[in-house]
Amino acid sequence: GTFAVPEITGLQPETDKSVRVTLESLYADYMADFVEAIPVLTNTTVKQVVNNLLGSFLEEPKECPNRDSSELPSIVDFRDLFLESEESIQLGGAGNGAYGTLIATLYDAAQDLLRPVKLNEFIETFTTNQSGVAGKLEFVDTDLLTFSNPAFEDESFSKKLWDNIVSGKIELEVTGVVLDKLNTIVDPLKIFSPTIDPNLLENEVNIGDSVLPNLTASARLKIVVEGQSALALDDELELTLSVDTLQLLVDLMARISSSSLVSFPVRHILDLDCWLSLVPVAMNDTTLHNLGLENFIFSTQDLIVGAQQLAGLS
């Protein structure tokens, strides 16, 4: 993918020129490596963080009924669970209908509803009701993030060092988030799609192409840094982001107890703990993870970032 040099407008002339020169220099030296590193970063660091979080959930005791069934394989084969017999066999499954036909029928109906055309129609209806514009979500009066860090009140070395940089508190506020052109989902779109691996589900989401308008996002950022140093700020910016195409690939590995699945209590269908109780906890083998991400890859094409100063003295 590519990453355009961010456009910064609304600053004082000398500041605007200095920022532009700095950004162009950084872009020339590092941006190609940064763009190439995004998929690697998501597939290593982000994936590890998610897997650690899932592991912590599984370590907590779950209270849900569990009944054994000797007629079923110990671990669910997603090919036989979600697909018709012929499709399952094509991917290497048994195709023997071990789990019945209800889940496969519901899965097929869900896949039909999740086709890009129908999903975009749903997004258009939902966003029109929310903002009055198809494909657009507005959170004008909602604070996405509010942060305030008071100045040090003691006489420690940390306070003295801090006072040399910032003599007062720091405030950060993100508001007025707007997302536009959300109704640009395209093929291929895969949600919980079985693979030749019996315990692996493939997920792929693609947004935008060379013909459709760019997916955009914007938000207002207010920054206050009190003090008399060069770092002192009291500015309000409008940040914008535009992307031509966006791709998210997530391969989810899940080893689910067959007996627990077929005896899953319908009354607990909204209970996350009960769903997590379907996954056996790996007792001794730390290399065996029963729930986690095998791949997590995020990539973009023609990413453009901009900022405009709305108020302030910078």
Side-chain angles (χ1 to χ4, degrees), residues 103-131:
I103 294 181
T105 301
L106 293 175
Y107 176 83
D108 187 61
Q111 293 301 306
D112 182 63
L113 292 174
L114 291 173
R115 289 187 294 116
V117 172
K118 291 190 175 182
L119 200 53
N120 285 332
E121 289 176 354
F122 171 78
I123 292 174
E124 289 172 359
T125 300
F126 177 81
T127 52
T128 299
N129 292 334
Q130 196 267 354
S131 67

Side-chain angles (χ1 to χ4, degrees), residues 134-172:
K136 187 175 186 178
L137 283 179
E138 294 181 327
F139 304 95
V140 178
D141 300 322
T142 303
D143 292 343
L144 179 65
L145 173 66
T146 301
F147 171 80
S148 179
N149 181 39
F152 287 102
E153 297 179 355
D154 56 65
E155 297 299 326
S156 64
F157 172 78
S158 297
K159 177 186 183 304
K160 296 178 181 178
L161 178 61
W162 183 258
D163 283 344
N164 288 330
I165 303 174
V166 179
S167 59
K169 65 181 179 180
I170 296 177
E171 293 182 358
L172 180 65

Side-chain angles (χ1 to χ4, degrees), residues 3 9-10 24 35 65 84 92 125 139 151 153 165 177 181 183 194 209 234 242 258-259 264 276 307:
F3 195 124
T9 60
E24 288 178 350
V35 172
E84 300 292 339
T125 300
F139 304 95
E153 297 179 355
I165 303 174
V177 175
K181 301 302 183 291
N183 55 332
D209 58 26
D234 187 358
S242 174
S258 296
S259 57
F264 190 87
L276 291 175

Side-chain angles (χ1 to χ4, degrees), residues 3-289:
F3 195 124
V5 180
E7 289 290 334
I8 309 295
T9 60
L11 304 177
Q12 298 294 330
E14 61 276 8
T15 305
D16 186 89
K17 180 179 179 181
S18 176
V19 170
R20 188 177 301 277
V21 170
T22 301
L23 289 175
E24 288 178 350
S25 177
L26 290 173
Y27 180 89
D29 292 339
Y30 303 110
M31 197 52 63
D33 293 335
F34 174 75
V35 172
E36 291 181 2
I38 291 177
V40 178
L41 175 65
T42 56
N43 201 32
T44 53
T45 305
V46 176
K47 182 178 73 174
Q48 186 61 49
V49 169
V50 174
N51 284 340
N52 290 341
L53 183 62
L54 291 174
S56 67
F57 287 153
L58 294 178
E59 290 173 359
E60 300 175 3
K62 308 296 181 298
E63 297 181 359
C64 279
N66 179 24
R67 294 197 298 270
D68 294 327
S69 174
S70 59
E71 297 178 358
L72 293 171
S74 59
I75 300 298
V76 169
D77 186 325
F78 289 120
R79 299 167 299 186
D80 293 327
L81 180 67
F82 288 147
L83 303 178
E84 300 292 339
S85 295
E86 185 175 337
E87 294 177 291
S88 174
I89 293 173
Q90 289 177 352
L91 289 177
N96 56 6
Y99 307 99
T101 59
L102 177 59
I103 294 181
T105 301
L106 293 175
Y107 176 83
D108 187 61
Q111 293 301 306
D112 182 63
L113 292 174
L114 291 173
R115 289 187 294 116
V117 172
K118 291 190 175 182
L119 200 53
N120 285 332
E121 289 176 354
F122 171 78
I123 292 174
E124 289 172 359
T125 300
F126 177 81
T127 52
T128 299
N129 292 334
Q130 196 267 354
S131 67
V133 180
K136 187 175 186 178
L137 283 179
E138 294 181 327
F139 304 95
V140 178
D141 300 322
T142 303
D143 292 343
L144 179 65
L145 173 66
T146 301
F147 171 80
S148 179
N149 181 39
F152 287 102
E153 297 179 355
D154 56 65
E155 297 299 326
S156 64
F157 172 78
S158 297
K159 177 186 183 304
K160 296 178 181 178
L161 178 61
W162 183 258
D163 283 344
N164 288 330
I165 303 174
V166 179
S167 59
K169 65 181 179 180
I170 296 177
E171 293 182 358
L172 180 65
E173 186 178 275
V174 179
T175 60
V177 175
V178 177
L179 305 174
D180 200 8
K181 301 302 183 291
L182 295 172
N183 55 332
T184 53
I185 298 174
V186 297
D187 282 318
L189 175 64
K190 300 177 182 179
I191 305 295
F192 288 172
S193 179
T195 66
I196 57 174
D197 186 321
N199 308 125
L200 192 70
L201 294 173
E202 186 178 30
N203 300 272
E204 179 177 355
V205 177
N206 289 275
I207 298 178
D209 58 26
S210 58
V211 178
L212 295 172
N214 286 7
L215 173 69
T216 61
S218 63
R220 292 192 173 205
L221 173 65
K222 184 177 181 180
I223 307 175
V224 176
V225 180
E226 295 182 347
Q228 302 301 318
S229 71
L231 295 181
L233 292 171
D234 187 358
D235 293 338
E236 184 175 355
L237 306 173
E238 182 177 41
L239 305 178
T240 59
L241 183 148
S242 174
V243 60
D244 185 30
T245 63
L246 181 152
Q247 183 184 53
L248 179 64
L249 301 173
V250 179
D251 290 338
L252 174 66
M253 188 280 299
R255 297 183 177 91
I256 294 176
S257 168
S258 296
S259 57
S260 297
L261 178 65
V262 298
S263 62
F264 190 87
V266 178
R267 66 182 182 278
H268 294 316
I269 195 169
L270 298 180
D271 190 334
L272 177 61
D273 282 347
C274 279
W275 284 106
L276 291 175
S277 71
L278 299 178
V279 182
V281 178
M283 297 298 182
N284 300 318
D285 187 355
T286 57
T287 65
L288 178 62
H289 300 286

